[in-house]
Amino acid sequence: MGREKEKEKLSEKALNLLRSRLSDPNFIFRPLPDSPDSNYSKLKFIISTSVTEACNNSILLLGPRGSGKVAVLELVLSDLLQQYPEAISVIRLNGLLHSDDNCALKEIARQLCMEHQLLFSKVASFDDNSQFMIAMLRECGLAHKTIIFVLDEFDFFAQGKQRLLYSLLDAMQSVNSQAVVIGVSCRLDVDQLLEKRVRSRFSHRKLLFLSPSKEDTERFIEHILSLPMDSSLPHNYAAEFNGRLKKLLSDERFKELIDTYLSFNFTIGHLVRFLFQAVSYMDLNAGFLSLGNFKTALSSNQRQLKLECIRDCSVLELYMMVCMKRLEVKEQASYNFYSVMTEYKSIHDSFQTSDYYAANVCLRAFEHLLQCQLISFIDNKGHNQSVEFRPVKLLISSAELHQGLKSYQQCPAILLKLMDR
Amino acid sequence: MGGKDNVSRQFTYPLKTTHRPLPICKTLKKKSKIATKSVTFTKQQYTKMPTETPRKQFQSPKKPKQSPNNVKSQSSTPSIHLSPQTPQLPLRRSSRRSLQPFTSETVDEMLDLSTPRKALEDLDGIGKCSGNNRKGSSVRTPRAPKCKFNEEDREIPEMGKVGEGNGVVEDAFCPVSPEALESKKTKKGLSEEGSVKMGKSPKCKLNEDLGKLGEGNGDVVLPEKRKKGLRNEEGVKTRKSLRCKLSEEEREIPDLGKLGEATFFPVSPQALESKKRKKGEEKRAVTRAMATRSLKKVNKEEKKGRKRVYYKKVVYDGGEFEVGDDVYVKRREDASSDDEVPEMEECRVCFKVGRGVMIECDDCLGGFHLKCLTPPLKEVPDGDWVCGFCQARKLGKDVEFPKPPEGKKRVRTLREKLLASDLWAARIESLWKEVDGSYWFRGRWYIIPEETASGRQPHNLKRELYRTNDFADIEMESIIRHCNVMSPKEYAKANDQGDDVFLCEYEYDIQWHSFKRLAEIDNDEDGECANGDEDWNSCKEDDSGTDEDMEYEEENERNVHARPSTTHQLAANSRKGRFFGIQKVGTKMIPEHVRCHKQTELERAKATLLLATLPKSLPCRNKEMEEITTFVKGAICDDQCLGRCLYIHGVPGTGKTMSVLAVMRNIKSEVDAGSIRPYCFVEVNGLKLAAPENIYTVIYEALTGHRVSWKKALQLLNERFSDGKKISKGDDRPCILLIDELDLLVTRNQSVLYNILDWPTKPHSKLIVIGIANTMDLPEKLLPRISSRMGIQRLCFGPYNYQQLQEIISSRLKGIDAFEKQAVEFASRKVAAISGDARRALEICRRAAEIADYNMKNQISSVNSSRVKDVVTMADVDAAIQEMFQAPHVQVMKSCSKLSKIFLTAMVYELYKTGMGETTFEKLAMTFSCLCTSNGEAFPGWDTLLKVGCKLGECRIILCEAGDRHMVQKLQLNFPSDDVAFALKDSKDLPWLAKYL
């Protein structure tokens, strides 16, 4: 009993360690940087040269979501802040929050004030703020300080008149300032969004964040999941844990599992989320990771949402969907509530089913289907039209519907038959 | 050995300088003669004391010259050659307190000693004196301590007494000998007669007269003072600072007179010195605001009509002093005045001035004759040269410099004294004549690195000074002579300026102890500002009131930020605060990498290719610039400049704004030279305005300096331009308005543009508008009434062709061997083919240099020097071009997940099949499942597929509607299908994709 408790405690400790690692981007991306081709060293070179050589740069970090753009950037920034503690101040903006020029400038002014212990006024106007920003750029340039602007979700800044980007980049090319603008975006065409005047002033450094290679992924999984030998965890436990992990990693079934998972989204962020799930399924009594954990995690990831929706539908709603399917089979491209109702009536007339409801009840069922997003309107036109006249479309394939009907417990047999016909 | 006439000395850090006797030196001789004459009194005084004592003793009560809020007692490393100046710095306040009893003690003692009795008697006998010849320093004395006492008073009331006592002592000390008075008078006469060369001549004369009147007045006013028992004040010329001080003390210490008599004339050397020291500090502490305050007091006392007369240039004691000059300022009366100022440095070995070529050691700055060295050098070597003594010292040996021959004291040059902080250097910010006829200037102090909070840093050069933000009013008397403080660029060029050359790259903030680079344009602006302030203040009249004085003082102190007060702080980012506190920004230490790093060719190339660096010449736009010049000149010179409006258009990066600004700079220099009438120039950028209407506010503010709402500004501008109402006298100058990004001013009813373009057509408006925009046909797009006003005169800036781009780049890279010639050509051809944007071309080259630098540094770190030359090659340029112009989607497609690849293939397949660009998710999913089943892949399910599509849509590889549309979601490829085919044709994990592409 005592031993078991102790073991549970141990495995809990290991679990916590793994979880904290998985939620710490610094740890995840730390082993990647070393080679000269990595984005880490390239980015670090660009920023650190602009700090030491007093030049202005503007960089775009592009790549799909979850590929570690911001994580690598943060890694670089924290390294540089250590290296040049006084010479860097970082201003962080997010396009989702500050896409409005006015509010973005205000936020810049606020952060600049915070950074230099100045008093900030909320009521300052756009002009004041932009002049303050330019003055600060100049002063900081004279004091050998670099201001790094991190613009997350850069595409949102590249909309409208782009006053913020223009005044920032214009100040950078005319005053003797020292600033780096880093745009982070998942849109690959973001530089095309820039207005021509802004684009001309932008210096177009681009760093592309791509998915890791297969070998990298394996190394990466091992790096995260293996326990350290020199921590507070007992040595033999850690050794056994790592041994089992190695065995698991070389297992073909495991590789296949990871492949299936990554086949639909091949990024580090995605993988980390999966690993976190799998680790959380770890059996505390056993204290080791097993293939089962990963399998559960995978299956919980591959849910068929529409099928689950069907499970919650009423029989009348099933009827309606089958009717729609039949209409589709008849190559009727679009249908609305009334055409579905006629089909429903004809089914009832020919088969004399017990489930016949009045039109208003059917309308309720129809609306419910809309809410479940099992059906949706075909176009966005005609908002003022009432629901029953607008053409709709079934959002579920016939195969799925069939499967759904089969797994539905009280499904009338007639429906399955109707589907087949 | 070298030139016989040119006694040249070379020093080589970081460049070579030859030393020639300055022309100034001759005039200086004269000056020093006069000086010695006028100093006689002091000399007498001092000769009674042992002459050797001063140095050691003087230093004892030395205190740091630091600003009041320095709390850190930071001991800067005392450097070898000076140590007096940088002893351990105790807390400022405490040191002051400890000193005060000391001074009074010594005062008593020294009264017994009766050293300068004679002088005192003289003075008593005559009973009149007019300030000593050292007014510069001694007058400052009384004023400055006051402010300090105030501070102390506030905190420790008891200290007040001591302080007062002290104040009196100093006060009593000011007036000096009758001789001094006489000499001063004669000198004054001299300077008044012939020396005022420049300045606003008619006014200046009038003012001089007024000044004389003032003197008369002064005598009338003075008796009041005498009643108070301040004998010494008799006959003192209306010295404003003294006055103000007195008046203040009258308020504070009613029985000041008695005290004053009790401790009259303390003239011991120590006391003297300690005072000098303090003066030094106080001098530092005297701030701009205080100066203006005292000025105001003068005004008050003299009621009306008393004005200072400001000059641009003053000839004083045979030297010409201009605003903006740098001068040595005496620090101590004794040392600096009675040493003869050597014209040239003596050789450290033979101690003769001699005519041979001298070489300067880069370490100790000592001069050596080439022939005196062992072994003697034939000629000045290239590069750094360090003398044998310094070399030996570096090796850890004890070295003794050769001692001077008996009876001959080694004479230190002014430069040495300055660097040993026995002298000060200041920059003249403004020059004026007081109402009493004495000449003053406002100086901006320079300090040596040892005096800063961080002490001398390893990267400081020997001849480096820092400019401070500390001002003081100094009398011209205390100027010794000119020195040259230069920016690094000038310093690099200077090679025949003699010994008094200093380098100044940074400004030192005495409040925050932080450094900041000096901006190059800064100089003029600051000077003007200072002048403006003063004029304004001196013109301002106000009725006196004692209470108000206090208020004013407080206000001043707040303005000066002498103490960071929390209650009155203003927000930094609002205009009302005038960016309050922005001066706080600065580095505590100048980072070493900035100064010590030696740039490689590549780094130099990168620096010169920066967009922010202004090129020396602007090639390829001569024709356009000429056209602009003729337009502007024609417009200015024409009296009736009607409807002058120029529209400049061209794609971005073709040098439109730059050309106009360059033309304006040229014209400005012509204005300065006097060949063209003055004008005012307003620059507005449409994209930097929050709203088009704000342009009125901006223009009005630029013209008058007042900030009003745009409606009011529009009304006022209308009055000025349309109705011809002139508000002030400067308004009749023609006004050139440059509007960048003009297209942003287009509003719905286009009233802003109409208003602005309508003004030039009005008679007497004298407004010239230059509009810049990108589109060629902007006038045509506007309402006819606007296009008729704007579209007449146009100038097109075409995109650069490749030769021009090549010229632009290579003109910047002149003298830097970092680029292969073909590389530059490749870049310029590529850019010319795409946009003709010079910015882009420069950026490509810079990026290429960066890539080359990166590769080189990596190779150095990994393998030792496999790259032979650090030159930017074609490959680097190509990489840069790829990065800049190539959309990254191909790479992303190559590396994306398996399902995404199939998805894209299905898209392309669907496109081929139907010929329609747009498809829906339903159709695509069908195709997808077909592809899967026929190639043995598992169909992942509709929902997963939808997610895959949305992921691709997020990266904009495909364009898609929101995911909740599901089956009816519309999809479209964002890139040509060929790109997809190219990217996916040879994917390893899905070889069958190629079939469908």
Side-chain angles (χ1 to χ4, degrees):
Chain A
M1 193 63 192
R3 269 193 67 193
E4 224 163 75
K5 257 240 167 94
E6 207 173 283
K7 190 152 192 205
E8 208 160 291
K9 226 175 168 184
L10 265 183
S11 45
E12 206 171 301
K13 227 170 162 186
L15 184 65
N16 283 340
L17 180 79
L18 292 181
R19 277 175 177 169
S20 64
R21 274 179 177 185
L22 283 165
S23 28
D24 175 19
N26 268 4
F27 179 83
I28 294 170
F29 287 94
R30 186 56 77 179
L32 293 176
D34 302 326
S35 76
D37 290 329
S38 71
N39 282 320
Y40 170 84
S41 43
K42 279 182 193 163
L43 185 63
K44 192 171 175 190
F45 179 77
I46 294 177
I47 301 180
S48 67
T49 48
S50 16
V51 172
T52 53
E53 287 163 30
C55 47
N56 301 309
N57 263 325
S58 29
I59 313 163
L60 280 180
L61 308 185
L62 303 176
R65 281 188 203 284
S67 51
K69 303 179 289 293
V70 175
V72 168
L73 176 64
E74 290 298 327
L75 206 63
V76 169
L77 287 181
S78 66
D79 283 4
L80 287 176
L81 280 172
Q82 269 179 4
Q83 205 174 340
Y84 310 102
E86 269 222 340
I88 294 179
S89 45
V90 184
I91 308 291
R92 289 184 173 84
L93 298 182
N94 193 311
L96 291 168
L97 299 173
H98 312 111
S99 62
D100 174 20
D101 287 337
N102 199 0
C103 110
L105 267 175
K106 195 169 277 184
E107 178 65 18
I108 289 176
R110 192 189 67 82
Q111 292 192 16
L112 279 174
C113 286
M114 288 269 287
E115 195 88 16
H116 295 97
Q117 286 102 41
L118 301 169
L119 212 68
F120 169 72
S121 147
K122 265 190 246 172
V123 293
S125 67
F126 178 88
D127 282 352
D128 282 351
N129 279 330
S130 73
Q131 274 167 15
F132 172 72
M133 182 183 79
I134 288 164
M136 280 303 277
L137 273 175
R138 180 188 145 90
E139 296 291 311
C140 287
L142 292 180
H144 297 299
K145 286 188 177 179
T146 306
I147 304 182
I148 298 177
F149 294 91
V150 178
L151 308 180
D152 205 351
E153 310 291 345
F154 186 71
D155 36 328
F156 286 91
F157 289 101
Q159 282 167 356
K161 293 254 166 76
Q162 307 179 5
R163 282 181 210 280
L164 172 75
L165 284 179
Y166 182 84
S167 46
L168 198 60
L169 296 172
D170 199 51
M172 277 166 60
Q173 73 149 355
S174 48
V175 195
N176 42 3
S177 58
Q178 230 173 306
V180 182
V181 174
I182 302 173
V184 182
S185 177
C186 65
R187 285 188 65 165
L188 300 178
D189 61 343
V190 73
D191 55 334
Q192 305 301 314
L193 293 178
L194 293 173
E195 215 242 359
K196 57 186 184 302
R197 288 170 276 219
V198 179
R199 200 187 315 157
S200 163
R201 286 166 172 82
F202 201 80
S203 57
H204 287 276
R205 311 274 181 278
K206 266 187 226 156
L207 285 180
L208 198 57
F209 286 75
L210 298 171
S211 318
S213 68
K214 279 239 165 78
E215 299 77 54
D216 276 348
T217 334
E218 269 167 36
R219 247 186 298 137
F220 178 73
I221 295 174
E222 195 177 345
H223 159 72
I224 291 178
L225 292 185
S226 51
L227 291 180
M229 302 300 273
D230 50 352
S231 71
S232 57
L233 291 164
H235 186 270
N236 46 358
Y237 172 71
E240 197 180 344
F241 188 95
N242 290 347
R244 289 203 183 200
L245 182 74
K246 262 223 169 93
K247 225 167 121 195
L248 185 68
L249 287 178
S250 54
D251 191 346
E252 275 307 313
R253 281 176 299 166
F254 179 78
K255 279 182 186 165
E256 204 174 303
L257 195 131
I258 292 287
D259 269 359
T260 5
Y261 178 74
L262 289 180
S263 69
F264 109 88
N265 185 357
F266 199 176
T267 56
I268 289 183
H270 195 63
L271 179 65
V272 165
R273 216 170 307 136
F274 176 67
L275 291 182
F276 193 92
Q277 267 180 331
V279 164
S280 301
Y281 283 121
M282 187 169 93
D283 184 12
L284 284 185
N285 285 326
F288 301 107
L289 286 169
S290 66
L291 190 64
N293 298 336
F294 289 91
K295 269 185 184 157
T296 340
L298 183 65
S299 63
S300 73
N301 255 304
Q302 290 176 323
R303 286 166 58 195
Q304 302 280 8
L305 302 173
K306 297 285 178 202
L307 282 183
E308 283 170 31
C309 270
I310 292 180
R311 221 173 291 149
D312 299 335
C313 287
S314 65
V315 175
L316 176 59
E317 280 155 15
L318 292 184
Y319 266 103
M320 311 265 318
M321 278 194 281
V322 169
C323 292
M324 285 179 210
K325 193 71 344 181
R326 280 171 66 89
L327 285 175
E328 268 178 28
V329 172
K330 286 179 194 164
E331 305 220 329
Q332 196 170 333
S334 75
Y335 37 87
N336 63 10
F337 173 67
Y338 286 112
S339 49
V340 174
M341 274 309 282
T342 29
E343 179 67 19
Y344 178 55
K345 217 174 248 173
S346 70
I347 289 175
H348 176 73
D349 290 345
S350 49
F351 296 96
Q352 291 298 327
T353 56
S354 57
D355 305 289
Y356 185 71
Y357 298 96
N360 56 351
V361 181
C362 292
L363 186 59
R364 290 295 293 277
F366 187 78
E367 276 167 356
H368 185 243
L369 282 177
L370 270 175
Q371 279 162 9
C372 294
Q373 293 216 326
L374 283 168
I375 61 176
S376 83
F377 298 120
I378 283 183
D379 44 23
N380 292 322
K381 285 176 278 182
H383 283 294
N384 40 6
Q385 246 175 343
S386 61
V387 175
E388 57 262 45
F389 296 109
R390 288 179 68 184
V392 290
K393 167 87 185 155
L394 192 62
L395 294 187
I396 191 164
S397 68
S398 58
E400 275 175 313
L401 185 57
H402 201 247
Q403 199 185 338
L405 290 177
K406 264 189 195 157
S407 57
Y408 199 86
Q409 282 174 358
Q410 297 99 29
C411 177
I414 185 81
L415 275 181
L416 281 171
K417 235 195 257 173
L418 282 172
M419 274 298 290
D420 294 337
R421 210 174 282 174
Chain B
M1 277 186 182
K4 283 194 176 166
D5 291 342
N6 289 0
V7 184
S8 61
R9 248 163 33 110
Q10 298 240 339
F11 66 91
T12 41
Y13 192 57
L15 32 112
K16 284 214 190 115
T17 308
T18 44
H19 174 86
R20 244 185 264 134
L22 291 171
I24 298 171
C25 297
K26 271 176 196 164
T27 51
L28 266 174
K29 246 188 194 168
K30 229 188 277 166
K31 182 195 162 162
S32 59
K33 256 178 221 159
I34 299 172
T36 41
K37 211 173 163 191
S38 61
V39 173
T40 37
F41 153 68
T42 22
K43 265 195 159 178
Q44 275 177 4
Q45 223 177 15
Y46 292 140
T47 41
K48 298 212 169 171
M49 329 176 301
T51 16
E52 271 72 38
T53 31
R55 188 137 310 152
K56 269 281 159 62
Q57 287 182 358
F58 286 177
Q59 266 99 49
S60 54
K62 231 167 249 174
K63 279 163 296 152
K65 295 181 299 176
Q66 284 195 349
S67 66
N69 29 357
N70 180 23
V71 195
K72 274 185 283 175
S73 69
Q74 201 176 8
S75 65
S76 49
T77 46
S79 74
I80 327 136
H81 54 288
L82 46 93
S83 51
Q85 201 39 50
T86 42
Q88 291 76 7
L89 315 178
L91 282 180
R92 191 199 173 140
R93 234 170 230 155
S94 62
S95 76
R96 177 164 298 281
R97 269 173 218 146
S98 64
L99 188 83
Q100 273 144 7
F102 166 72
T103 23
S104 49
E105 272 172 39
T106 42
V107 163
D108 291 339
E109 271 176 40
M110 288 314 156
L111 273 175
D112 292 341
L113 280 174
S114 76
T115 349
R117 209 16 74 86
K118 196 177 140 205
L120 302 192
E121 280 162 12
D122 280 350
L123 201 127
D124 266 5
I126 290 170
K128 279 195 173 189
C129 58
S130 65
N132 67 8
N133 56 332
R134 298 274 163 266
K135 273 164 283 176
S137 40
S138 53
V139 167
R140 255 186 324 266
T141 353
R143 190 160 28 116
K146 213 230 100 199
C147 84
K148 239 141 259 153
F149 298 151
N150 268 355
E151 266 181 31
E152 276 170 9
D153 284 353
R154 235 167 273 138
E155 287 169 45
I156 318 154
E158 301 92 72
M159 288 309 294
K161 277 263 163 72
V162 191
E164 281 154 20
N166 197 11
V168 173
V169 169
E170 292 183 15
D171 200 7
F173 183 65
C174 319
V176 200
S177 82
E179 281 117 308
L181 165 72
E182 276 169 25
S183 66
K184 174 66 207 158
K185 283 239 162 111
T186 52
K187 208 185 296 168
K188 201 192 357 165
L190 251 170
S191 48
E192 247 174 79
E193 275 163 28
S195 58
V196 184
K197 265 191 184 166
M198 293 248 309
K200 317 135 211 173
S201 45
K203 228 201 231 169
C204 119
K205 274 208 178 127
L206 193 122
N207 279 338
E208 253 172 74
D209 289 346
L210 279 175
K212 270 171 197 159
L213 251 171
E215 273 173 71
N217 264 0
D219 281 338
V220 180
V221 180
L222 273 168
E224 276 177 64
K225 298 266 156 73
R226 221 175 294 152
K227 263 184 246 158
K228 305 265 178 183
L230 282 165
R231 263 186 302 159
N232 53 330
E233 187 49 19
E234 289 173 355
V236 169
K237 293 176 285 173
T238 50
R239 178 75 34 69
K240 41 120 210 183
S241 46
L242 196 49
R243 272 290 180 75
C244 87
K245 197 262 164 182
L246 285 171
S247 60
E248 274 157 16
E249 262 173 21
E250 275 163 28
R251 227 187 301 126
E252 287 168 26
I253 330 153
D255 56 347
L256 165 109
K258 269 185 193 165
L259 267 167
E261 267 168 339
T263 55
F264 206 42
F265 295 141
V267 218
S268 87
Q270 279 100 337
L272 170 74
E273 180 46 32
S274 68
K275 230 150 280 153
K276 292 282 129 81
R277 280 287 148 207
K278 211 181 296 160
K279 240 177 275 165
E281 280 175 27
E282 284 138 12
K283 206 148 106 180
R284 296 280 147 134
V286 171
T287 49
R288 243 165 121 177
M290 282 160 80
T292 47
R293 181 198 58 192
S294 54
L295 183 76
K296 209 168 146 189
K297 294 245 166 72
V298 177
N299 285 343
K300 226 175 278 170
E301 275 177 27
E302 307 193 346
K303 302 294 176 200
K304 269 183 207 172
R306 260 37 29 229
K307 272 191 193 169
R308 291 168 170 188
V309 188
Y310 284 91
Y311 302 109
K312 271 198 168 160
K313 192 179 195 178
V314 168
V315 179
Y316 195 85
D317 271 353
E320 269 185 20
F321 297 98
E322 248 181 282
V323 172
D325 280 358
D326 306 305
V327 289
Y328 289 118
V329 179
K330 280 175 203 166
R331 174 162 188 172
R332 291 205 306 245
E333 294 184 12
D334 57 332
S336 50
S337 57
D338 49 17
D339 286 355
E340 276 293 323
V341 178
E343 271 180 47
M344 283 179 311
E345 205 183 335
E346 295 161 342
C347 170
R348 296 293 290 270
V349 182
C350 66
F351 295 95
K352 282 172 198 146
V353 172
R355 297 204 136 194
V357 178
M358 283 176 92
I359 186 169
E360 187 176 85
C361 168
D362 285 317
D363 202 24
C364 61
L365 294 183
F368 299 87
H369 282 128
L370 287 181
K371 57 179 185 254
C372 296
L373 294 167
T374 43
L377 286 172
K378 278 268 187 299
E379 49 190 21
V380 177
D382 281 339
D384 288 2
W385 179 81
V386 177
C387 68
F389 304 110
C390 296
Q391 273 173 345
R393 190 165 40 205
K394 272 184 189 164
L395 293 172
K397 290 177 202 161
D398 272 348
V399 199
E400 268 186 45
F401 275 103
K403 291 224 170 66
E406 282 294 310
K408 190 175 177 197
K409 229 181 84 193
R410 211 176 85 71
V411 187
R412 296 190 303 165
T413 56
L414 289 179
R415 186 257 308 156
E416 278 174 275
K417 282 184 194 165
L418 175 66
L419 295 182
S421 66
D422 290 341
L423 275 181
W424 280 318
R427 184 191 137 98
I428 301 178
E429 297 286 339
S430 60
L431 288 160
W432 72 88
K433 190 173 79 169
E434 274 302 326
V435 281
D436 60 353
S438 60
Y439 287 88
W440 286 72
F441 71 94
R442 155 155 292 221
R444 182 176 198 156
W445 296 113
Y446 289 107
I447 59 172
I448 55 175
E450 280 81 359
E451 290 171 324
T452 62
S454 47
R456 176 170 276 278
Q457 295 167 33
H459 54 73
N460 282 134
L461 303 185
K462 290 284 174 192
R463 283 174 186 269
E464 181 155 356
L465 296 178
Y466 294 121
R467 197 169 86 182
T468 60
N469 56 350
D470 188 11
F471 295 85
D473 292 348
I474 312 162
E475 198 168 359
M476 294 281 285
E477 240 356 89
S478 42
I479 292 180
I480 300 177
R481 65 159 135 122
H482 279 283
C483 58
N484 284 306
V485 182
M486 302 175 168
S487 69
K489 258 187 203 160
E490 295 167 329
Y491 186 72
K493 282 182 214 143
N495 49 11
D496 54 349
Q497 310 265 352
D499 191 33
D500 301 321
V501 180
F502 299 97
L503 170 83
C504 176
E505 196 183 355
Y506 288 88
E507 181 176 315
Y508 179 69
D509 190 308
I510 51 158
Q511 253 102 41
W512 300 102
H513 308 293
S514 60
F515 298 95
K516 209 180 277 182
R517 238 177 335 149
L518 287 176
E520 271 147 36
I521 341 140
D522 208 11
N523 295 342
D524 309 329
E525 280 173 11
D526 268 4
E528 273 171 37
C529 276
N531 278 339
D533 282 358
E534 232 143 5
D535 284 336
W536 184 72
N537 273 323
S538 58
C539 292
K540 199 177 156 189
E541 281 186 19
D542 58 320
D543 301 320
S544 57
T546 39
D547 286 351
E548 198 220 61
D549 280 355
M550 294 304 286
E551 275 171 30
Y552 192 65
E553 234 175 75
E554 275 175 24
E555 191 185 290
N556 274 336
E557 260 168 320
R558 207 178 63 213
N559 286 347
V560 165
H561 323 300
R563 295 158 297 139
S565 64
T566 43
T567 45
H568 293 294
Q569 249 189 13
L570 297 167
N573 61 333
S574 77
R575 209 68 191 303
K576 274 179 227 144
R578 300 214 152 220
F579 306 139
F580 181 91
I582 205 169
Q583 72 276 7
K584 263 204 236 173
V585 179
T587 41
K588 292 272 174 277
M589 297 275 276
I590 299 166
E592 263 186 55
H593 61 81
V594 182
R595 301 297 299 275
C596 297
H597 184 65
K598 219 178 160 207
Q599 283 186 317
T600 62
E601 289 280 293
L602 276 176
E603 279 161 352
R604 273 172 57 204
K606 273 196 276 177
T608 189
L609 287 172
L610 266 179
L611 292 180
T613 48
L614 201 68
K616 276 165 233 131
S617 62
L618 308 169
C620 308
R621 284 294 177 213
N622 296 328
K623 218 183 83 210
E624 283 86 353
M625 277 168 68
E626 228 160 68
E627 206 160 319
I628 300 171
T629 312
T630 48
F631 169 79
V632 174
K633 274 190 185 166
I636 297 176
C637 299
D638 196 3
D639 277 332
Q640 283 273 335
C641 42
L642 269 179
R644 290 286 189 169
C645 179
L646 178 67
Y647 176 62
I648 298 175
H649 59 89
V651 291
T654 46
K656 300 180 294 295
T657 312
M658 188 193 64
S659 302
V660 175
L661 292 180
V663 166
M664 295 319 285
R665 269 198 300 275
N666 290 342
I667 293 180
K668 180 141 197 297
S669 64
E670 281 186 53
V671 169
D672 288 342
S675 56
I676 296 183
R677 282 196 302 170
Y679 61 92
C680 47
F681 178 56
V682 181
E683 191 189 347
V684 188
N685 192 319
L687 250 176
K688 288 181 188 166
L689 299 169
E693 286 83 15
N694 284 10
I695 193 172
Y696 302 127
T697 315
V698 175
I699 294 173
Y700 190 72
E701 194 183 0
L703 288 175
T704 61
H706 301 295
R707 197 173 171 82
V708 291
S709 76
W710 72 262
K711 280 183 184 149
K712 178 83 178 155
L714 173 62
Q715 186 198 334
L716 290 166
L717 287 172
N718 260 331
E719 271 174 22
R720 176 179 164 161
F721 291 122
S722 308
D723 310 345
K725 217 183 262 177
K726 301 299 175 200
I727 305 146
S728 65
K729 61 182 189 309
D731 279 359
D732 54 347
R733 289 185 297 183
C735 172
I736 298 171
L737 178 62
L738 170 67
I739 306 176
D740 214 342
E741 318 294 359
L742 188 73
D743 49 333
L744 266 290
L745 294 183
V746 180
T747 48
R748 186 171 292 170
N749 59 7
Q750 306 184 1
S751 63
V752 175
L753 263 187
Y754 178 75
N755 278 330
I756 287 171
L757 296 172
D758 194 37
W759 289 330
T761 61
K762 299 280 198 267
H764 312 300
S765 68
K766 296 197 176 178
L767 180 70
I768 301 128
V769 177
I770 302 175
I772 299 180
N774 295 132
T775 43
M776 187 183 278
D777 56 345
L778 181 71
E780 279 70 43
K781 282 184 203 156
L782 300 172
L783 294 176
R785 57 177 180 178
I786 295 174
S787 58
S788 83
R789 282 172 171 83
M790 182 167 77
I792 302 162
Q793 212 164 346
R794 299 190 195 190
L795 183 59
C796 176
F797 277 68
Y800 291 108
N801 60 25
Y802 80 95
Q803 285 117 332
Q804 287 173 322
L805 287 175
Q806 208 174 337
E807 196 182 331
I808 290 169
I809 296 168
S810 45
S811 78
R812 284 203 182 210
L813 287 174
K814 204 172 278 171
I816 301 169
D817 177 33
F819 273 77
E820 280 180 1
K821 205 166 177 305
Q822 302 98 304
V824 175
E825 192 183 334
F826 180 43
S828 39
R829 271 182 194 274
K830 187 82 187 173
V831 174
I834 291 173
S835 61
D837 184 341
R839 285 196 198 105
R840 195 55 78 85
L842 291 172
E843 279 298 336
I844 285 182
C845 290
R846 189 158 75 94
R847 179 65 188 151
E850 224 171 73
I851 291 171
D853 201 17
Y854 179 72
N855 289 339
M856 201 183 68
K857 276 177 186 159
N858 272 324
Q859 274 174 8
I860 285 174
S861 61
S862 57
V863 193
N864 285 337
S865 68
S866 56
R867 194 173 174 125
V868 194
K869 263 177 97 186
D870 48 347
V871 170
V872 181
T873 57
M874 289 282 274
D876 299 322
V877 174
D878 194 44
I881 288 174
Q882 290 296 321
E883 183 183 325
M884 219 161 272
F885 290 115
Q886 205 185 43
H889 58 270
V890 175
Q891 276 164 287
V892 173
M893 279 186 232
K894 268 185 185 163
S895 77
C896 64
S897 64
K898 200 167 78 182
L899 289 181
S900 315
K901 281 177 186 169
I902 304 176
F903 193 94
L904 284 171
T905 315
M907 290 273 305
V908 175
Y909 188 60
E910 184 74 19
L911 175 72
Y912 286 155
K913 228 169 47 182
T914 60
M916 302 269 282
E918 197 180 277
T919 176
T920 61
F921 179 70
E922 192 186 9
K923 285 182 203 155
L924 190 96
M926 300 302 279
T927 325
F928 192 97
S929 63
C930 287
L931 289 186
C932 280
T933 43
S934 56
N935 291 291
E937 290 284 335
F939 183 71
W942 291 65
D943 295 312
T944 316
L945 201 59
L946 186 73
K947 264 193 231 166
V948 171
C950 289
K951 281 268 167 218
L952 288 173
E954 218 170 46
C955 298
R956 288 298 188 280
I957 292 174
I958 61 172
L959 301 173
C960 63
E961 286 180 317
D964 64 339
R965 310 275 299 144
H966 208 276
M967 289 283 204
V968 284
Q969 184 191 34
K970 286 179 185 142
L971 303 164
Q972 196 178 353
L973 270 178
N974 195 23
F975 296 104
S977 59
D978 296 343
D979 283 4
V980 182
F982 172 75
L984 301 182
K985 216 156 220 163
D986 34 61
S987 74
K988 276 174 200 135
D989 45 349
L990 297 166
W992 53 268
L993 287 183
K995 280 193 286 183
Y996 300 94
L997 292 166

